Amino acid sequence: GKFDQYMHDIPYSTFKQALQAPIRALLGKSEAELNEWRSALQEALEPNGRLVVDLVPELGLILGDQPPVVELPPTDSQRRFQLVLGRFLAVFARPEHPFVLFLDDLQWLDIATLELIEYLLVQSDLRFLMLIGAYRDDEVDSEHPLTSKIGAIRRAGGLVEEIRLGPLGNEQVAELVTDALRCQPSCAAPLAEIVHKKTSGNPFFVTQFLQTLADERVLSFDLGALRWNWDLRSLHANTYADSVVKLVVGKLLHLPAKTQRALQLFACLGASAHTEMLSIVLGSPKEQVHLVLAAAVRQELVERRGMQYHFTHDRVREAAYSLI
């Protein structure tokens, strides 16, 4: 509950994460190509480029320092932001260059972001854009703001397609386990049946559960025979967490205290954070940030991309936040 409430308090954070990738892709282009994109972006955003730079600071590396925008009343300010972001996306979404934008965890979106999505899909002149959103339908009921917003978009003529993703079945879990352990399906079948029963076919839970079995030596690699072995009796005898969050919490509690504390603060910042921001929050030099998070990186709870850290899954972030 506290985690969900916290997530609702971060406006536009989902767009921020989604838009970082295309901006970084531009930074890798040649100077001639980058100049073309720079000109197009400047033409689309002036004189309000500061709004998008504040959302995605990496854009400042392309456009340079942007002047402050004129102060407006809250309603007008929100409308202006919608217009400016629509123009920004239109630079990428063109007939010869369609644009796909993926937004995760729609169940946590704040009202302002939901209204931005409605504007982009219904009210703006933006075309050649495909917006893909993912959410947990067990956390979205008929009274949820996302439900009413999807309904409003449909009624306004927006094209909405829905794909329901169920849990993995016995057969799919068996294929995953067989592939992970490089063995014959018949050999993996008894283990796969237990894994499916323990995880209810949740893909992330499956991978975390297998990792836990390896950590506890229930699942081990025989270097002599060059094959994986497992102890079904130990697996049946042991009591394991009945949810993926509880399982991840257990892994977090085995980390050094400093790493646990760092992950708790990291969880408050978002799904990703720059080393400089983490350095400020932790009150430590940047080099110390890397050392403190190294154990979490080794456990594949977070990953490092250059100077940016990312939680490998939102359930990991939720588990870290729950420890506060």
Side-chain angles (χ1 to χ4, degrees), residues 69-81:
V69 296
V70 177
E71 292 288 335
L72 294 175
T75 302
D76 293 338
S77 178
Q78 181 179 356
R79 176 66 174 170
R80 177 178 62 185
F81 181 80

PDB file of all heavy atoms in Angstrom, residues 69-81:
ATOM      1  N   VAL A  69      11.141  28.874 -18.616  1.00  0.00           N
ATOM      2  CA  VAL A  69       9.854  29.101 -19.294  1.00  0.00           C
ATOM      3  C   VAL A  69       9.026  30.086 -18.484  1.00  0.00           C
ATOM      4  O   VAL A  69       9.271  30.317 -17.299  1.00  0.00           O
ATOM      5  CB  VAL A  69       9.078  27.777 -19.458  1.00  0.00           C
ATOM      6  CG1 VAL A  69       9.838  26.816 -20.357  1.00  0.00           C
ATOM      7  CG2 VAL A  69       8.791  27.141 -18.107  1.00  0.00           C
ATOM      8  N   VAL A  70       8.056  30.667 -19.139  1.00  0.00           N
ATOM      9  CA  VAL A  70       7.169  31.636 -18.486  1.00  0.00           C
ATOM     10  C   VAL A  70       6.283  30.904 -17.482  1.00  0.00           C
ATOM     11  O   VAL A  70       5.762  29.821 -17.769  1.00  0.00           O
ATOM     12  CB  VAL A  70       6.295  32.360 -19.542  1.00  0.00           C
ATOM     13  CG1 VAL A  70       5.314  33.304 -18.862  1.00  0.00           C
ATOM     14  CG2 VAL A  70       7.175  33.094 -20.531  1.00  0.00           C
ATOM     15  N   GLU A  71       6.132  31.467 -16.300  1.00  0.00           N
ATOM     16  CA  GLU A  71       5.265  30.871 -15.283  1.00  0.00           C
ATOM     17  C   GLU A  71       3.804  31.010 -15.702  1.00  0.00           C
ATOM     18  O   GLU A  71       3.370  32.067 -16.159  1.00  0.00           O
ATOM     19  CB  GLU A  71       5.481  31.555 -13.931  1.00  0.00           C
ATOM     20  CG  GLU A  71       6.846  31.307 -13.308  1.00  0.00           C
ATOM     21  CD  GLU A  71       6.972  29.885 -12.790  1.00  0.00           C
ATOM     22  OE1 GLU A  71       5.916  29.273 -12.477  1.00  0.00           O
ATOM     23  OE2 GLU A  71       8.099  29.372 -12.719  1.00  0.00           O
ATOM     24  N   LEU A  72       3.053  29.911 -15.540  1.00  0.00           N
ATOM     25  CA  LEU A  72       1.630  29.903 -15.872  1.00  0.00           C
ATOM     26  C   LEU A  72       0.837  29.289 -14.723  1.00  0.00           C
ATOM     27  O   LEU A  72       1.400  28.551 -13.905  1.00  0.00           O
ATOM     28  CB  LEU A  72       1.379  29.081 -17.144  1.00  0.00           C
ATOM     29  CG  LEU A  72       1.957  29.601 -18.461  1.00  0.00           C
ATOM     30  CD1 LEU A  72       1.695  28.590 -19.570  1.00  0.00           C
ATOM     31  CD2 LEU A  72       1.356  30.953 -18.817  1.00  0.00           C
ATOM     32  N   PRO A  73      -0.471  29.550 -14.656  1.00  0.00           N
ATOM     33  CA  PRO A  73      -1.300  28.858 -13.659  1.00  0.00           C
ATOM     34  C   PRO A  73      -1.226  27.345 -13.877  1.00  0.00           C
ATOM     35  O   PRO A  73      -0.939  26.894 -14.992  1.00  0.00           O
ATOM     36  CB  PRO A  73      -2.717  29.400 -13.942  1.00  0.00           C
ATOM     37  CG  PRO A  73      -2.492  30.703 -14.640  1.00  0.00           C
ATOM     38  CD  PRO A  73      -1.236  30.529 -15.433  1.00  0.00           C
ATOM     39  N   PRO A  74      -1.480  26.543 -12.838  1.00  0.00           N
ATOM     40  CA  PRO A  74      -1.308  25.084 -12.929  1.00  0.00           C
ATOM     41  C   PRO A  74      -2.002  24.434 -14.127  1.00  0.00           C
ATOM     42  O   PRO A  74      -1.392  23.621 -14.829  1.00  0.00           O
ATOM     43  CB  PRO A  74      -1.897  24.582 -11.608  1.00  0.00           C
ATOM     44  CG  PRO A  74      -1.695  25.713 -10.657  1.00  0.00           C
ATOM     45  CD  PRO A  74      -1.868  26.957 -11.471  1.00  0.00           C
ATOM     46  N   THR A  75      -3.254  24.786 -14.390  1.00  0.00           N
ATOM     47  CA  THR A  75      -3.983  24.161 -15.499  1.00  0.00           C
ATOM     48  C   THR A  75      -3.347  24.503 -16.834  1.00  0.00           C
ATOM     49  O   THR A  75      -3.151  23.633 -17.704  1.00  0.00           O
ATOM     50  CB  THR A  75      -5.454  24.588 -15.493  1.00  0.00           C
ATOM     51  OG1 THR A  75      -6.054  24.223 -14.237  1.00  0.00           O
ATOM     52  CG2 THR A  75      -6.225  23.904 -16.624  1.00  0.00           C
ATOM     53  N   ASP A  76      -3.003  25.772 -17.019  1.00  0.00           N
ATOM     54  CA  ASP A  76      -2.363  26.197 -18.266  1.00  0.00           C
ATOM     55  C   ASP A  76      -0.975  25.583 -18.403  1.00  0.00           C
ATOM     56  O   ASP A  76      -0.545  25.240 -19.509  1.00  0.00           O
ATOM     57  CB  ASP A  76      -2.252  27.726 -18.307  1.00  0.00           C
ATOM     58  CG  ASP A  76      -3.610  28.395 -18.400  1.00  0.00           C
ATOM     59  OD1 ASP A  76      -4.563  27.728 -18.836  1.00  0.00           O
ATOM     60  OD2 ASP A  76      -3.719  29.577 -18.021  1.00  0.00           O
ATOM     61  N   SER A  77      -0.273  25.453 -17.281  1.00  0.00           N
ATOM     62  CA  SER A  77       1.060  24.858 -17.300  1.00  0.00           C
ATOM     63  C   SER A  77       0.993  23.398 -17.738  1.00  0.00           C
ATOM     64  O   SER A  77       1.826  22.941 -18.536  1.00  0.00           O
ATOM     65  CB  SER A  77       1.691  24.963 -15.911  1.00  0.00           C
ATOM     66  OG  SER A  77       2.960  24.367 -15.886  1.00  0.00           O
ATOM     67  N   GLN A  78      -0.002  22.666 -17.247  1.00  0.00           N
ATOM     68  CA  GLN A  78      -0.156  21.265 -17.636  1.00  0.00           C
ATOM     69  C   GLN A  78      -0.490  21.146 -19.121  1.00  0.00           C
ATOM     70  O   GLN A  78       0.053  20.300 -19.824  1.00  0.00           O
ATOM     71  CB  GLN A  78      -1.258  20.605 -16.806  1.00  0.00           C
ATOM     72  CG  GLN A  78      -1.462  19.124 -17.139  1.00  0.00           C
ATOM     73  CD  GLN A  78      -2.539  18.486 -16.283  1.00  0.00           C
ATOM     74  OE1 GLN A  78      -3.098  19.106 -15.389  1.00  0.00           O
ATOM     75  NE2 GLN A  78      -2.848  17.233 -16.571  1.00  0.00           N
ATOM     76  N   ARG A  79      -1.370  22.023 -19.598  1.00  0.00           N
ATOM     77  CA  ARG A  79      -1.741  22.015 -21.017  1.00  0.00           C
ATOM     78  C   ARG A  79      -0.528  22.326 -21.894  1.00  0.00           C
ATOM     79  O   ARG A  79      -0.314  21.688 -22.929  1.00  0.00           O
ATOM     80  CB  ARG A  79      -2.837  23.062 -21.256  1.00  0.00           C
ATOM     81  CG  ARG A  79      -3.259  23.240 -22.696  1.00  0.00           C
ATOM     82  CD  ARG A  79      -3.925  22.021 -23.250  1.00  0.00           C
ATOM     83  NE  ARG A  79      -4.445  22.261 -24.598  1.00  0.00           N
ATOM     84  CZ  ARG A  79      -4.906  21.322 -25.386  1.00  0.00           C
ATOM     85  NH1 ARG A  79      -4.892  20.062 -24.989  1.00  0.00           N
ATOM     86  NH2 ARG A  79      -5.371  21.622 -26.579  1.00  0.00           N
ATOM     87  N   ARG A  80       0.283  23.278 -21.468  1.00  0.00           N
ATOM     88  CA  ARG A  80       1.490  23.632 -22.223  1.00  0.00           C
ATOM     89  C   ARG A  80       2.441  22.450 -22.277  1.00  0.00           C
ATOM     90  O   ARG A  80       3.026  22.148 -23.333  1.00  0.00           O
ATOM     91  CB  ARG A  80       2.186  24.830 -21.589  1.00  0.00           C
ATOM     92  CG  ARG A  80       3.501  25.205 -22.281  1.00  0.00           C
ATOM     93  CD  ARG A  80       4.132  26.436 -21.651  1.00  0.00           C
ATOM     94  NE  ARG A  80       4.471  26.218 -20.260  1.00  0.00           N
ATOM     95  CZ  ARG A  80       4.955  27.175 -19.457  1.00  0.00           C
ATOM     96  NH1 ARG A  80       5.139  28.397 -19.913  1.00  0.00           N
ATOM     97  NH2 ARG A  80       5.240  26.900 -18.200  1.00  0.00           N
ATOM     98  N   PHE A  81       2.598  21.759 -21.151  1.00  0.00           N
ATOM     99  CA  PHE A  81       3.502  20.601 -21.129  1.00  0.00           C
ATOM    100  C   PHE A  81       3.029  19.526 -22.105  1.00  0.00           C
ATOM    101  O   PHE A  81       3.836  18.920 -22.810  1.00  0.00           O
ATOM    102  CB  PHE A  81       3.590  20.025 -19.717  1.00  0.00           C
ATOM    103  CG  PHE A  81       4.524  18.857 -19.610  1.00  0.00           C
ATOM    104  CD1 PHE A  81       5.892  19.046 -19.522  1.00  0.00           C
ATOM    105  CD2 PHE A  81       4.045  17.557 -19.634  1.00  0.00           C
ATOM    106  CE1 PHE A  81       6.770  17.967 -19.445  1.00  0.00           C
ATOM    107  CE2 PHE A  81       4.905  16.473 -19.560  1.00  0.00           C
ATOM    108  CZ  PHE A  81       6.269  16.686 -19.458  1.00  0.00           C
TER     109      PHE A  81
END
